[in-house]
């Protein structure tokens, strides 16, 4: 199976024959960069409505670049161009906010130059020590078999709710898992409920110190590698392409369509499990 390195919402656009005008197509899509089973970098465009890959380009290091089309009036049209040919593939950003356009472009070009490039996110103050391609793969690969109890879901939902601190709820496009699942928010879960720790350890790296402890988990959630993996999962949620993954976690497919939808589904599942316990 191909490892997803980067994904973000984008539609396709086409140049009018004989002109320099570019027209955006309305189809909802996503640009996905993967490390293919053939060991090569693939630049794909996926139709988010049909879930089909409609474009799959094999790229070699430093042969392509992803740059903004300066003449575009919207400012959010980009072209994938090649140094070895005259090919041009046009795309337009479909995320509701343009706040992360530059990050997506920087990371795309980093991977086009070097598939082992370490993704850079402006919201992160610490950079991982190694390539995040493995982290991205783990964040979007087959789900764990860990099944949380209703009590654990309620605890997580309460933590997510308290993270808002009573402030006005941000717009869905502004929600970020790296802002919500901070060490300050997660640490009380481990220290206040030590019974959760043994259930988590089978799903963590095997070389961790034993016996399991809140201190060890604290080091994990403070590590650059964990923050990078969380950021990659956050970005994958923003593409709206994780329906299959979240179904494996016992959540509805809609939970994989965005960060806000994912958090809302966790809360709703916790509420439902709690109601079922009360009626048993």
């Amino acid at each position: 199976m191909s490892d997803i390195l980067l994904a973000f919402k984008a539609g396709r656009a086409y140049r009018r024959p004989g002109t320099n005008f570019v027209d955006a197509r309305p189809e909802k899509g996503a640009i996905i960069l993967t490390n293919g089973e053939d060991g090569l970098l693939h630049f794909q465009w996926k139709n988010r409505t049909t879930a089909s890959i409609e474009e799959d380009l094999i790229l070699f290091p430093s042969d392509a670049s992803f740059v903004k089309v300066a003449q575009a009036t919207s400012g959010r049209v980009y072209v994938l161009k090649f140094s070895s040919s005259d090919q041009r593939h046009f795309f337009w950003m479909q995320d509701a906010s343009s706040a992360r356009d530059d990050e997506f472009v920087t990371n795309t070009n980093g991977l086009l130059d070097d598939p082992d490039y370490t993704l850079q996110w402006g919201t992160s103050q610490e950079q991982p020590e190694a390539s995040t391609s493995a982290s991205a793969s783990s964040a979007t690969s087959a789900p764990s078999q860990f099944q949380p109890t209703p009590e654990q879901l309620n605890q997580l939902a309460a933590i997510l709710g308290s993270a808002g601190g009573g402030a006005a709820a941000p717009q869905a496009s502004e929600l970020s898992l790296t802002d919500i699942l901070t060490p300050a928010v997660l640490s009380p879960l481990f220290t206040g409920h030590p019974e959760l720790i043994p259930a988590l350890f089978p799903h963590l790296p095997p070389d961790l110190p034993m016996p399991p402890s809140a201190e060890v988990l604290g080091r994990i959630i403070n590590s650059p590698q964990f923050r990078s993996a969380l950021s990659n999962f956050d970005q994958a949620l923003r593409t709206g392409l994780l329906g299959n993954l979240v179904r494996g976690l016992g959540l509805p497919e809609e939970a994989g369509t965005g960060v806000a939808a994912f958090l809302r589904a966790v809360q709703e599942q916790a509420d439902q499990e709690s109601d079922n316990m009360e009626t048993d």
Side-chain angles (χ1 to χ4, degrees):
M1 179 179 292
S2 299
D3 294 333
I4 296 178
L5 305 177
L6 178 67
F8 54 93
K9 295 177 184 178
R12 287 191 290 188
Y14 296 93
R15 176 183 289 171
R16 296 183 201 172
T19 75
N20 288 326
F21 290 99
V22 175
D23 297 317
R25 298 286 301 170
E27 293 84 4
K28 295 179 180 180
I31 289 173
I32 305 174
L33 277 75
T34 71
N35 180 20
E37 295 179 355
D38 52 12
L40 300 174
L41 180 68
H42 288 245
F43 184 105
Q44 301 174 332
W45 186 81
K46 183 173 185 176
N47 187 310
R48 288 189 282 131
T49 301
T50 64
S52 60
I53 301 293
E54 297 186 9
E55 198 159 1
D56 188 354
L57 305 171
I58 296 177
L59 304 181
F60 295 95
S62 301
D63 183 44
S65 59
F66 192 68
V67 298
K68 179 181 289 188
V69 177
Q71 297 86 347
T73 55
S74 70
R76 303 187 72 194
V77 177
Y78 293 80
V79 58
L80 178 71
K81 58 182 183 179
F82 299 82
S83 59
S84 59
S85 71
D86 293 331
Q87 286 189 71
R88 296 289 187 271
H89 298 267
F90 294 91
F91 303 90
W92 62 283
M93 297 294 196
Q94 291 184 326
D95 197 272
S97 170
S98 62
R100 296 196 173 187
D101 286 2
D102 289 344
E103 290 180 351
F104 292 140
V105 173
T106 297
N107 285 323
T108 298
N109 282 310
L111 290 170
L112 293 179
D113 285 337
D114 179 5
D116 291 326
Y117 172 79
T118 298
L119 301 183
Q120 308 290 325
W121 302 112
T123 56
S124 174
Q125 298 300 314
E126 295 180 302
Q127 299 302 330
E129 296 175 356
S131 169
T132 60
S133 58
S135 298
S137 174
S138 64
T140 57
S141 60
S144 161
Q145 296 303 309
F146 171 63
Q147 294 297 323
T149 66
E151 293 87 350
Q152 293 165 357
L153 286 170
N154 278 321
Q155 290 159 6
L156 177 58
I159 287 175
L160 295 176
S162 65
Q171 296 296 320
S173 61
E174 297 175 355
L175 288 172
S176 171
L177 291 181
T178 55
D179 295 331
I180 297 172
L181 299 179
T182 64
V185 170
L186 292 174
S187 293
L189 178 64
F190 305 138
T191 57
H193 302 278
E195 70 277 6
L196 299 180
I197 297 175
L200 291 174
F201 255 72
H203 311 283
L204 297 175
D207 56 348
L208 294 176
M210 295 294 289
S213 69
E215 180 183 359
V216 171
L217 288 178
R219 291 202 298 268
I220 292 174
I221 62 177
N222 277 284
S223 69
Q225 290 85 354
F226 176 83
R227 305 309 299 173
S228 176
L230 186 61
S231 178
N232 282 323
F233 183 57
D234 178 274
Q235 295 301 321
L237 278 173
R238 292 176 188 278
T239 68
L241 301 175
L242 295 187
N244 290 334
L245 173 64
V246 298
R247 280 202 304 272
L249 298 174
L251 299 173
E253 185 171 353
E254 292 75 15
T257 60
V259 175
F262 176 76
L263 297 177
R264 185 166 54 249
V266 170
Q267 177 70 68
E268 291 174 352
Q269 186 180 40
D271 293 342
Q272 181 179 4
E273 294 288 353
S274 178
D275 291 342
N276 290 341
M277 288 186 62
E278 293 176 359
T279 56
D280 286 346

